[in-house]
Amino acid sequence: MASKGDATGSGYHQIVGCEDDDDFTTRYRRGSNSEEPKIALGRRLRSSKFFIHMIALATTSVVVGVNFANVYGWDQDSLHLPDNQVRNLLQFAAKLHEILIVGSLTSIIMHHIRERLVRSRGLSLGLLSSGYQVSSMEFLFSKSFRGAFCTDTGLILTLAATIITVNVVGPSSAIVVIPRLDWWGVRAAFNNTLQLYLGGSFDQLYPTKFGPLNMTLFQGCDTAEYTSGCPGGAFDDLKNWAASWYNNGVAPNINAHNSHHYPDPAHTPTGLFWNYIQENSMGKINKIKKPMLVSTNTAPVYAPVIQVECNWFNYSEAIKSPGPQIPTVSFPLDVLDNYTGISTSIEWPLDPSLWNFTRPMNATNFTWIDVSSYSDGDGPGASLGVLITLPTLAMNETYSNGTFWDLSQQSWLIPCLINAKWAAANIRYVPNESNQIIQNITDMGVFDMASGQKVTKASRQPWGLSNTIHISPEWASLLNVAGIASTSASGESLNATMVEALLSQFVICDINEIYSPYMALGAKFKTFVTQTVNVVPATIAAVIAEGLSRQAYNRTEPYMVFVEGQNNTKYKRLTQQKGWNPSGIGTIDMGLAAFDEESDAFLTPIDFTIKRYGYGHGWQGSFTVAFALAVLLTHAVVAFGYILYSIYNRIAGTGFTSRAWGDIGEMLALALHSERARELQNVGGGVEARSTWEMRVRVRERGGDRLELVVGTESLGGAKPQLDKMYR
């Protein structure tokens, strides 16, 4: 129950706490309350006017600066608190930042609303409540907003931009305040400057001719006793790859017309480089929980880019005399048109002696073909050709459901053309996650030339493409060594060449002793052809790519060079370090030696940048962060401009400060305090007419010491409010 003081001569009770209904009624009837006359518009520019703007600007400057500076936070799962809890706490900070910005924008809009109300022209009735709805997207579609469009177009557009900004500033603040999980660059990862070198000149590492001269490097690689350093040394890995494709149906990222395979380039040098870092204290990199080594464009790693395209012909049809319905057995030429820019309509037929002879129809055979005579040996063209014979079922498309099933053995002739080049590849190695080195060349389409375009050094430069690699059948024979013991997809024991053994992983023998690729059984004819023509070039591309890579990287000595200061450069043979033991024999660490810079011409550098996986702030590479920063900077420009505008008006004596009508309650109190507007008729049940919303509203004096809302023309109102004057 409210307590009351003694009655006074003023005729009303002094209230302590809450008053009851009788007291309120008494005071209401006598027309008194606790409100005192006050100044509506003042001259004094209070610092508190800018408080919310300054706090918002300061907070924005911090988060924007952190994102532009790419500030790194912490490695994933390296804090005492779970990462999600830390990011959840920062969510509250982002919300506080949002509140500050929304308050700043609301204050700016309210200033313009007050300014319109006390100026000569006034404000549209439809925008009278706009300052209190800056966070309402619904207001943009209201009748009052649309009704005022023609009379206050400038303010309408300003309000629309403000409302949109207010509604996107929340997620924008969260995006820039809460760190994101990504790979981040590491500054000064090493205590000293390090440089990895490969022992050999560029031309030695990445030759464009593989012929008899290169054979001297691979003594003993033409027998079944080959080693992993031989061009065909990847056979066991490739066989497992082929068997996995057959058994699991998981094909590589290869298509029929642009078939390619990329091995792990520079695996041994990169692995040795990381092993040395692990075994020695090299600086900040040793403390990183999940580092990544990324090659640079200044000293890149090169990888072979292989394209293989094949035609297919039915052997039984091909041995007949060529006719209108029987095409000549020839190489496909799209590989030249799409990949080298050479457009030709001349066929490249195969010598009939390569295929037109009696052979077992169920045999798989693989033959390299020299195609140097088909093109200029010094210009773009094909690297090598190959002819494959593959057993298959008889082809018959007479069935209504599109399937074929004819229990007779047939054979395919599959001539393929190979084009190989060296291309600069960006490699990534995450040693604490996987031993696999990943490179960025995944889409052969980026290398396509326009039909008929002349391929020059300049046109290849954007991708670091070399001339076409010319491969002799003699060198290629090291990729297809005979006498390999293997098993086929049907479990039969084989004594075949390497590539024949790989292709046999896709050939099965059914109960009728008919051999065919595994896709044949029950498949539609076109589907069968497509799948088979995918498998063959993919296998060839894998074989070629592995062989070229081993030529480049397995016959080189990797070095690491230390630059510890001026005239103090040393090097380390990475094969002579602690922790590297490929043969099971104890490795002798030979220590560091002085580096002879004259030998630099005989070495090929590989540069790495170091990245770490964790949480940080940054805008590069992220459209969402860039957009969020643009939103925050837009507010910063507006708020700073408003502060300058207010200071200028104060100096020029043309502005004012005010806290009046700061919320919707105060505006309603002013409206109730005003006389009835005769211009507003029939609005008790709502407003429909556009002209009503277009009516001008102003704040004017009435009776000298009262302020009221006046609706209508300027002549209907009184004088404009005065600065520093008390109004009741």
Side-chain angles (χ1 to χ4, degrees):
M1 185 69 179
S3 62
K4 308 175 188 177
D6 297 332
T8 66
S10 61
Y12 61 87
H13 295 285
Q14 182 179 1
I15 306 301
V16 179
C18 299
E19 57 187 334
D20 58 24
D21 292 342
D22 292 338
D23 292 331
F24 179 78
T25 303
T26 301
R27 294 186 58 199
Y28 175 76
R29 288 176 179 174
R30 294 185 181 186
S32 74
N33 56 30
S34 59
E35 291 292 337
E36 299 291 338
K38 55 188 68 68
I39 295 174
L41 308 177
R43 296 179 185 275
R44 182 181 177 185
L45 189 61
R46 297 181 177 88
S47 59
S48 59
K49 174 183 175 68
F50 304 131
F51 181 77
I52 191 169
H53 307 294
M54 298 301 293
I55 296 298
L57 285 174
T59 308
T60 297
S61 65
V62 171
V63 297
V64 170
V66 164
N67 279 273
F68 275 112
N70 292 316
V71 174
Y72 184 75
W74 66 92
D75 288 349
Q76 185 184 29
D77 298 327
S78 63
L79 300 179
H80 296 295
L81 289 176
D83 294 338
N84 286 339
Q85 287 190 22
V86 177
R87 298 178 77 246
N88 289 341
L89 290 174
L90 290 173
Q91 180 74 52
F92 288 101
K95 186 61 180 179
L96 179 60
H97 184 221
E98 174 193 354
I99 292 172
L100 291 172
I101 293 178
V102 172
S104 171
L105 290 173
T106 302
S107 175
I108 295 171
I109 291 298
M110 282 305 304
H111 177 83
H112 287 292
I113 296 297
R114 293 189 190 100
E115 198 172 52
R116 291 291 188 105
L117 286 171
V118 301
R119 300 299 184 192
S120 298
R121 191 162 181 266
L123 180 72
S124 297
L125 177 62
L127 300 182
L128 186 60
S129 64
S130 59
Y132 315 110
Q133 303 189 70
V134 292
S135 61
S136 173
M137 289 293 293
E138 185 180 359
F139 181 64
L140 293 176
F141 306 98
S142 64
K143 291 183 291 184
S144 59
F145 186 84
R146 297 195 308 270
F149 187 82
C150 295
T151 54
D152 283 304
T153 305
L155 183 57
I156 283 284
L157 296 177
T158 301
L159 280 168
T162 302
I163 291 173
I164 293 172
T165 302
V166 165
N167 280 274
V168 299
V169 77
S172 298
S173 180
I175 288 172
V176 299
V177 170
I178 301 173
R180 56 192 173 94
L181 185 63
D182 205 343
W183 290 102
W184 304 90
V186 180
R187 299 184 182 94
F190 302 104
N191 293 332
N192 303 295
T193 301
L194 300 183
Q195 176 71 67
L196 176 64
Y197 285 89
L198 298 179
S201 66
F202 184 88
D203 291 336
Q204 290 173 330
L205 290 173
Y206 310 112
T208 54
K209 289 186 178 180
F210 286 77
L213 291 179
N214 302 105
M215 297 286 286
T216 57
L217 298 175
F218 297 100
Q219 297 297 326
C221 292
D222 55 351
T223 69
E225 303 299 323
Y226 64 90
T227 65
S228 61
C230 294
F235 170 74
D236 291 334
D237 292 334
L238 290 175
K239 181 184 174 184
N240 292 334
W241 163 76
S244 177
W245 191 357
Y246 168 76
N247 292 317
N248 302 320
V250 180
N253 185 21
I254 296 173
N255 59 63
H257 299 292
N258 291 313
S259 302
H260 54 281
H261 172 79
Y262 307 107
D264 296 338
H267 179 80
T268 299
T270 306
L272 289 171
F273 181 65
W274 175 249
N275 185 78
Y276 189 87
I277 293 172
Q278 277 189 311
E279 296 293 332
N280 298 271
S281 179
M282 305 303 296
K284 187 188 300 183
I285 189 171
N286 294 99
K287 300 178 182 179
I288 298 175
K289 189 171 184 179
K290 185 178 178 181
M292 177 170 67
L293 282 66
V294 183
S295 63
T296 67
N297 294 330
T298 55
V301 172
Y302 281 77
V305 178
I306 314 298
Q307 188 187 32
V308 180
E309 189 167 10
C310 302
N311 278 340
W312 63 274
F313 302 90
N314 187 299
Y315 170 75
S316 299
E317 295 291 332
I319 59 177
K320 301 177 182 177
S321 300
Q325 304 299 323
I326 303 176
T328 303
V329 178
S330 59
F331 289 111
L333 299 181
D334 287 345
V335 66
L336 299 182
D337 187 21
N338 293 339
Y339 192 36
T340 67
I342 296 177
S343 181
T344 178
S345 58
I346 302 175
E347 288 187 341
W348 287 12
L350 272 73
D351 186 339
S353 64
L354 294 172
W355 57 270
N356 192 359
F357 54 83
T358 303
R359 91 282 298 286
M361 298 289 281
N362 62 355
T364 298
N365 185 265
F366 189 92
T367 304
W368 298 113
I369 300 176
D370 187 355
V371 294
S372 59
S373 61
Y374 288 97
S375 59
D376 183 359
D378 296 325
S383 300
L384 190 63
V386 65
L387 176 63
I388 303 162
T389 59
L390 201 65
T392 184
L393 295 170
M395 303 174 189
N396 188 340
E397 293 187 90
T398 60
Y399 296 97
S400 59
N401 62 358
T403 61
F404 62 95
W405 193 262
D406 191 338
L407 297 180
S408 62
Q409 184 71 68
Q410 291 291 328
S411 179
W412 268 0
L413 298 173
I414 308 176
C416 302
L417 208 56
I418 303 165
N419 190 288
K421 295 185 188 310
W422 294 109
N426 177 266
I427 67 170
R428 295 177 289 119
Y429 178 42
V430 186
N432 294 345
E433 183 177 83
S434 170
N435 287 328
Q436 183 179 10
I437 294 180
I438 304 171
Q439 48 71 43
N440 64 329
I441 306 175
T442 57
D443 181 10
M444 289 289 288
V446 302
F447 301 110
D448 287 352
M449 302 291 184
S451 180
Q453 175 184 346
K454 183 178 180 180
V455 179
T456 63
K457 182 178 181 180
S459 66
R460 295 192 302 269
Q461 189 173 5
W463 306 290
L465 286 174
S466 69
N467 288 323
T468 296
I469 300 173
H470 294 281
I471 304 172
S472 70
E474 292 80 11
W475 186 89
S477 66
L478 300 179
L479 309 177
N480 193 32
V481 175
I484 301 299
S486 180
T487 56
S488 69
S490 300
E492 296 177 290
S493 297
L494 300 175
N495 187 351
T497 67
M498 287 180 171
V499 183
E500 291 170 358
L502 292 178
L503 293 174
S504 296
Q505 302 305 308
F506 303 96
V507 177
I508 62 173
C509 178
D510 63 18
I511 58 175
N512 298 299
E513 296 187 355
I514 295 178
Y515 291 78
S516 65
Y518 78 100
M519 295 81 69
L521 301 178
K524 292 185 178 180
F525 176 73
K526 292 182 178 179
T527 303
F528 168 53
V529 173
T530 301
Q531 290 177 334
T532 303
V533 178
N534 270 333
V535 168
V536 172
T539 304
I540 299 171
V543 170
I544 294 289
E546 286 287 354
L548 295 182
S549 292
R550 289 169 189 274
Q551 166 77 21
Y553 295 113
N554 284 5
R555 296 288 168 166
T556 181
E557 176 75 26
Y559 298 83
M560 186 161 63
V561 174
F562 300 80
V563 181
E564 298 181 344
Q566 189 175 7
N567 300 322
N568 188 18
T569 303
K570 301 178 180 179
Y571 79 93
K572 171 75 177 180
R573 290 179 180 268
L574 291 179
T575 55
Q576 298 174 352
Q577 61 167 306
K578 178 183 177 181
W580 189 73
N581 192 355
S583 61
I585 303 174
T587 301
I588 301 176
D589 194 332
M590 301 299 292
L592 300 176
F595 180 68
D596 181 6
E597 294 187 3
E598 294 182 359
S599 64
D600 187 52
F602 302 99
L603 301 176
T604 300
I606 299 177
D607 278 341
F608 289 107
T609 58
I610 307 301
K611 294 188 176 184
R612 66 195 309 175
Y613 193 66
Y615 293 92
H617 296 87
W619 66 277
Q620 293 180 332
S622 174
F623 171 78
T624 55
V625 175
F627 176 79
L629 289 173
V631 171
L632 299 185
L633 288 174
T634 298
H635 162 260
V637 171
V638 171
F640 189 69
Y642 171 70
I643 293 173
L644 295 179
Y645 168 78
S646 300
I647 295 174
Y648 170 79
N649 282 342
R650 176 65 182 89
I651 296 174
T654 58
F656 64 87
T657 62
S658 176
R659 294 181 180 179
W661 324 306
D663 59 53
I664 190 67
E666 290 188 5
M667 186 61 74
L668 286 174
L670 177 63
L672 294 172
H673 188 59
S674 306
E675 291 187 3
R676 178 176 177 272
R678 294 188 299 272
E679 287 76 9
L680 292 177
Q681 301 291 332
N682 305 318
V683 296
V687 178
E688 295 291 344
R690 184 190 189 98
S691 58
T692 302
W693 293 120
E694 292 177 347
M695 288 184 180
R696 310 309 292 176
V697 181
R698 301 171 181 86
V699 174
R700 293 294 181 261
E701 287 187 352
R702 183 65 61 91
D705 62 349
R706 292 180 56 192
L707 290 180
E708 296 183 354
L709 279 178
V710 178
V711 181
T713 61
E714 175 71 10
S715 61
L716 296 177
K720 297 177 182 177
Q722 300 179 38
L723 299 180
D724 295 332
K725 182 177 179 179
M726 303 287 288
Y727 290 100
R728 63 185 179 86

